Amino acid sequence: MVSAASNTENFGRFAPLFIAQASNNDLVLPDNIGIHLNPQQMVRLEEHFLNASTQPITGTGTVTLTTIPEDGKATASDMMFWGSTAIVIPRKSPGQAEMFKKVRAGVSILGLTTHQHQFGTLATISQAQSAQGPATELYRNSNWAEPPLKRYDPPLTFDGSTGLKLHCEYNNTSNNTVTFGESAATNEMCFFWAYYYPSHGFDVAF
């Protein structure tokens, strides 16, 4: 995860700029769309590893940023980070979680991806007018370990009348009740993040 110093409550002093879930991933923005960084901006690279072996391992990561001139013509982009923490899956049982929220008028989304842990079997993102109404599926993933970043060219556009519905499914094969949490081994998550413009800040919704 690449993040920059900010005042975002949910992520301490840092707000994500880019989160990769595969060994190689990139975000190519359209012409004159960019991520705004202040002069002398502090940027942090954070990596998460799970060593399943009995021997030490060494993790590495590299980040490449391509700059564009600040000539007053560029539009700032940002990230949406939405999801559900209402996850309770009984032992040896299936389960699911959902969330819905309207998207601000004027927002254009360039890419979407989801995030689950090892009990995740499916995650979908749909565009709809309400949580229960008809929906148009935009994204589907059944590989929790390396969910793809789906890019949209042209971008998805919103006029304020519709939102995004996230749906997650699970199969709890363990002998314990699984709840929301940070542990990739014992907890689950149901999130998506999207890269959008024009920026109204790091958009967090749980």
Side-chain angles (χ1 to χ4, degrees):
M1 178 172 69
V2 181
S3 56
S6 74
N7 293 320
T8 304
E9 286 184 24
N10 302 78
F11 284 79
R13 292 184 56 252
F14 289 84
L17 302 177
F18 182 76
I19 305 175
Q21 300 183 96
S23 56
N24 291 286
N25 217 328
D26 59 9
L27 177 65
V28 179
L29 301 175
D31 293 343
N32 294 322
I33 304 294
I35 299 170
H36 178 76
L37 295 176
N38 295 319
Q40 308 302 316
Q41 175 76 64
M42 178 181 176
V43 177
R44 180 176 70 179
L45 173 62
E46 177 182 324
E47 298 176 273
H48 294 191
F49 299 97
L50 176 63
N51 184 1
S53 73
T54 58
Q55 301 297 318
I57 60 173
T58 299
T60 61
T62 59
V63 176
T64 301
L65 301 177
T66 302
T67 62
I68 60 175
E70 181 145 17
D71 55 7
K73 299 178 182 179
T75 299
S77 65
D78 221 306
M79 182 184 287
M80 300 162 64
F81 194 95
W82 294 7
S84 172
T85 59
I87 301 174
V88 179
I89 314 168
R91 61 183 295 276
K92 302 293 185 179
S93 299
Q96 64 180 33
E98 290 187 341
M99 70 90 63
F100 171 82
K101 186 175 184 290
K102 288 284 185 74
V103 177
R104 287 193 187 192
V107 162
S108 295
I109 290 180
L110 300 164
L112 290 167
T113 189
T114 55
H115 180 73
Q116 295 174 285
H117 291 166
Q118 64 171 330
F119 301 112
T121 58
L122 177 68
T124 63
I125 306 170
S126 302
Q127 185 172 358
Q129 292 186 332
S130 66
Q132 288 77 34
T136 301
E137 188 173 290
L138 304 173
Y139 179 96
R140 172 175 287 259
N141 176 60
S142 57
N143 179 8
W144 71 269
E146 292 198 20
L149 171 62
K150 185 174 181 179
R151 299 169 179 85
Y152 298 91
D153 184 13
L156 303 172
T157 58
F158 295 82
D159 62 6
S161 65
T162 63
L164 293 176
K165 179 179 179 179
L166 172 64
H167 174 81
C168 298
E169 296 182 4
Y170 309 93
N171 181 26
N172 180 5
T173 57
S174 76
N175 289 315
N176 301 301
T177 297
V178 172
T179 59
F180 172 81
E182 295 184 359
S183 172
T186 60
N187 296 129
E188 264 302 338
M189 289 189 173
C190 179
F191 286 121
F192 80 82
W193 49 88
Y195 301 97
Y196 80 93
Y197 72 93
S199 171
H200 54 257
F202 179 45
D203 189 332
V204 182
F206 294 162

